[in-house]
Amino acid sequence: ALLNLMPKKIQTENQFARLIGATPLQIEFSLIRMSEHQTKNTAADHMENFYRPFAEVEATGEKFDGLVITGAPIEHLPFAEVTYWDELTRVFDWTQTHVHSTFGVCWGGMAMINYFHGVPKHILDAKAFGCVRHQNLAPASPYLRGFSDDMVMPVSRWTEMRRDEVEAAGLRVLIDSPETGPALVEDPGHRALYIFNHLEYDSGTLKEEYDRDVEAGKPINVPANYYPDDDPTKTPQNRWRSHAHLLYGNWINEIY
């Protein structure tokens, strides 16, 4: 299942479906939304036709092999001030009895690690934005089977989790960057993985975010190491696609 908290619902569901559907297994993909929260950026008929509110899923007692909880553009808010926080914490608790493995992505991962372990998120002075080189700290991990010793990941966030605080909570950092901190964290006790960056992004997703902010007159840096020569007039290059397929393919393999 995909609990989709992103504003551009269709784009996000396609990104994850492309990765999760690329394995030899037949995956049945369910789309879930928060029960009370109304999205402004996706057509109501699409939400009605393809998404079920969490309350409905919860009431059926249905169980899932895997659940992806996406990021959300609300990272400036304290967790408890998010309008659907109470329901989201119900989701987190529900995963412990109804989901075999949960994958929390960006804000979704930060929210899970905060709820289960009390690890705080920290506001950054400037947005971490671009393609950042990361180090593979756990090459023997089954989730990183086939991974290079270092790799590039798209990063787009105003907050961070700190490695010392993550490790103090007894969790294992699998991928880390000296520049932007932990990227992939394993939480065996809750059968969960948390990724704070966006391997699922399409080639042009950072460009769309950059162009949107420029058009809105918001202060934004050119995404680092994304455009050739850091020149926004040039076509961006995708240097993370292979690791995206590896990670989500490895996750599906570990579930089954």
Side-chain angles (χ1 to χ4, degrees), residues 174-191:
L174 303 182
I175 298 176
D176 183 64
S177 163
E179 195 177 333
T180 53
L184 183 67
V185 175
E186 184 179 9
D187 183 358
H190 294 91
R191 301 184 313 284

Side-chain angles (χ1 to χ4, degrees), residues 102-123:
T102 306
F103 212 138
V105 178
C106 203
W107 183 86
M110 292 185 180
M112 286 186 75
I113 202 172
N114 176 265
Y115 179 69
F116 286 133
H117 299 281
V119 178
K121 63 181 168 73
H122 300 275
I123 302 286

Side-chain angles (χ1 to χ4, degrees), residues 96 100-102 117 143 169-174 185-194:
Q96 299 307 288
H100 179 69
S101 181
T102 306
H117 299 281
Y143 296 111
L171 303 176
R172 186 182 184 198
V173 177
L174 303 182
V185 175
E186 184 179 9
D187 183 358
H190 294 91
R191 301 184 313 284
L193 286 174
Y194 312 126

Side-chain angles (χ1 to χ4, degrees), residues 58 61-64 90-100 102 116 190-191:
E58 186 182 33
E62 190 173 352
K63 294 191 175 183
F64 294 90
R90 274 200 358 251
V91 173
F92 297 159
D93 289 334
W94 169 85
T95 64
Q96 299 307 288
T97 50
H98 289 75
V99 178
H100 179 69
T102 306
F116 286 133
H190 294 91
R191 301 184 313 284

Side-chain angles (χ1 to χ4, degrees), residues 16 68-72 103-109 195-198 200 248:
F16 283 106
V68 175
I69 299 177
T70 72
F103 212 138
V105 178
C106 203
W107 183 86
I195 186 167
F196 305 136
N197 302 330
H198 290 285
E200 82 280 1
Y248 285 94

Side-chain angles (χ1 to χ4, degrees), residues 1-4 12-13 16 29-32 51 67-70:
L2 176 72
L3 177 61
N4 194 349
T12 300
E13 70 204 38
F16 283 106
F29 202 41
S30 297
L31 299 173
I32 302 174
Y51 281 80
L67 171 70
V68 175
I69 299 177
T70 72

Side-chain angles (χ1 to χ4, degrees), residues 57-186:
V57 175
E58 186 182 33
T60 66
E62 190 173 352
K63 294 191 175 183
F64 294 90
D65 299 318
L67 171 70
V68 175
I69 299 177
T70 72
I74 47 175
E75 52 184 334
H76 58 289
L77 289 175
F79 290 117
E81 290 182 19
V82 173
T83 55
Y84 49 77
W85 182 248
D86 288 347
E87 185 179 24
L88 189 59
T89 59
R90 274 200 358 251
V91 173
F92 297 159
D93 289 334
W94 169 85
T95 64
Q96 299 307 288
T97 50
H98 289 75
V99 178
H100 179 69
S101 181
T102 306
F103 212 138
V105 178
C106 203
W107 183 86
M110 292 185 180
M112 286 186 75
I113 202 172
N114 176 265
Y115 179 69
F116 286 133
H117 299 281
V119 178
K121 63 181 168 73
H122 300 275
I123 302 286
L124 297 168
D125 294 332
K127 187 177 185 179
F129 191 45
C131 293
V132 179
R133 192 155 288 286
H134 287 72
Q135 296 163 346
N136 178 352
L137 302 183
S141 167
Y143 296 111
L144 301 185
R145 193 178 292 117
F147 265 60
S148 308
D149 290 338
D150 71 348
M151 72 227 60
V152 166
M153 277 195 204
V155 181
S156 178
R157 50 183 163 83
W158 282 96
T159 52
E160 68 175 1
M161 293 253 156
R162 294 180 181 160
R163 182 173 169 182
D164 59 339
E165 293 174 339
V166 169
E167 291 177 337
L171 303 176
R172 186 182 184 198
V173 177
L174 303 182
I175 298 176
D176 183 64
S177 163
E179 195 177 333
T180 53
L184 183 67
V185 175
E186 184 179 9

